[in-house]
């Protein structure tokens, strides 16, 4: 809209006059709202030196690179984020995503094994742990590391199933050729989480 365009112009001028992290993030969010994702990434990247001490800056920049598919930039940025904020798990999740998209599945799995190990040594949110286990299983199935996928799957109680975890179980069942189990899991997910759209593509394959 014209109002958003004027707001973006004002924020750009304000940044040129005096750097402000709040202004930087507001402008980047406005550009994203206008679907100008590439411009938002370029903007954030140009202020890396000034904003490097803010974890939310790294999260926003990695999210943008992930969204627009700049995997090399995502890899570089996630590594920088992780080196500066070693306890921020999100840096490693984005790092694994970049490895996987670049065809380096083994590296992605290794990153998630490190994350799961950290969960064992730290107090973690239960949902966060389950989501990381689900993503790890998905990575293992995609890389035909079925034994690793089963080992982690066996540590999870059925009652704890989140949509991402059920999705991972469906992928594993499909890979093993167990169509009946895959269909049963798809139906369970649809019943419990009808808003989880990814499951419907699997259901169309096995129903």
């Amino acid at each position: 809209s014209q109002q958003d365009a004027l707001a973006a112009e004002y924020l750009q001028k304000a940044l040129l006059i005096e750097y402000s992290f709040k202004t930087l993030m507001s402008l980047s969010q406005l550009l994203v709202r206008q679907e100008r994702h590439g411009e938002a990434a370029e903007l954030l990247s140009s202020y890396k030196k000034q904003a490097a001490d803010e974890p939310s800056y790294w999260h926003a920049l990695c999210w943008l690179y992930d969204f627009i598919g700049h995997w090399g930039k995502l890899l570089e940025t996630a590594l920088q984020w992780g080196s500066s904020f070693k306890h921020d798990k999100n840096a490693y999740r984005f790092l694994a995503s970049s490895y996987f998209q670049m065809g380096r599945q083994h590296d992605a799995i290794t990153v998630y094994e490190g994350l799961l190990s950290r969960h064992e040594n730290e107090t973690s949110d239960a949902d966060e742990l389950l989501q990381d286990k689900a993503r790890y299983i998905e990575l293992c199935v995609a890389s035909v590391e079925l034994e690793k996928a089963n080992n982690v799957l066996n540590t999870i109680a059925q009652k704890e199933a989140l949509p991402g975890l059920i999705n991972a179980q469906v992928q594993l069942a499909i890979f093993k050729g167990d169509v009946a189990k895959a269909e049963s899991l798809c139906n369970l997910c649809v019943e419990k989480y009808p808003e989880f759209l990814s499951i419907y593509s699997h259901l169309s394959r096995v129903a």
Side-chain angles (χ1 to χ4, degrees):
S1 70
Q2 185 177 5
Q3 186 177 5
D4 282 347
L6 289 172
E9 184 179 348
Y10 169 79
L11 290 171
Q12 286 169 338
K13 288 179 179 178
L15 266 179
L16 290 174
I17 295 170
E18 183 179 6
Y19 169 74
S20 160
F21 180 70
K22 183 178 180 180
T23 303
L24 175 66
M25 297 305 290
S26 295
L27 178 54
S28 68
Q29 290 166 4
L30 182 57
L31 292 173
V32 168
R33 194 160 67 239
Q34 295 175 314
E35 298 187 0
R36 297 159 64 183
H37 299 92
E39 291 179 56
E42 290 177 9
L43 171 74
L44 290 178
S45 180
S46 68
Y47 283 91
K48 187 175 291 185
K49 183 178 293 185
Q50 294 96 320
D53 292 336
E54 300 283 350
S56 57
Y57 163 81
W58 294 101
H59 193 283
L61 186 55
C62 280
W63 183 88
L64 281 164
Y65 284 143
D66 194 37
F67 184 87
I68 59 184
H70 285 189
W71 311 125
K73 288 285 189 181
L74 177 59
L75 173 61
E76 175 188 335
T77 305
L79 284 170
Q80 291 175 330
W81 182 7
S83 67
S84 298
F85 300 92
K86 293 180 172 57
H87 296 292
D88 196 329
K89 296 185 182 72
N90 283 320
Y92 301 97
R93 295 181 182 113
F94 278 113
L95 179 60
S97 177
S98 68
Y99 279 143
F100 183 78
Q101 295 294 344
M102 296 172 75
R104 298 170 59 177
Q105 288 92 338
H106 177 73
D107 289 327
I109 288 172
T110 299
V111 170
Y112 260 88
E113 286 173 345
L115 271 176
L116 294 181
S117 177
R118 286 179 58 179
H119 278 298
E120 292 178 0
N121 298 319
E122 301 172 5
T123 301
S124 298
D125 177 79
D127 284 350
E128 181 186 39
L129 172 58
L130 281 174
Q131 288 165 3
D132 280 337
K133 285 184 175 182
R135 182 57 181 148
Y136 176 75
I137 293 167
E138 288 179 322
L139 288 172
C140 289
V141 172
S143 306
V144 202
E145 294 278 4
L146 303 187
E147 184 177 353
K148 288 184 175 182
N150 275 317
N151 287 342
V152 171
L153 190 58
N154 290 336
T155 68
I156 302 169
Q158 185 64 38
K159 65 180 181 180
E160 297 178 312
L162 293 172
L165 179 60
I166 299 174
N167 188 60
Q169 291 176 283
V170 169
Q171 289 178 304
L172 185 58
I174 290 174
F175 193 92
K176 290 180 173 180
D178 192 341
V179 176
K181 183 174 182 180
E183 183 177 2
S184 174
L185 287 165
C186 284
N187 289 329
L188 172 65
C189 191
V190 169
E191 179 185 346
K192 295 184 67 174
Y193 307 102
E195 73 286 354
F196 188 71
L197 300 180
S198 298
I199 202 66
Y200 293 98
S201 62
H202 294 315
L203 185 58
S204 67
R205 294 168 57 191
V206 299

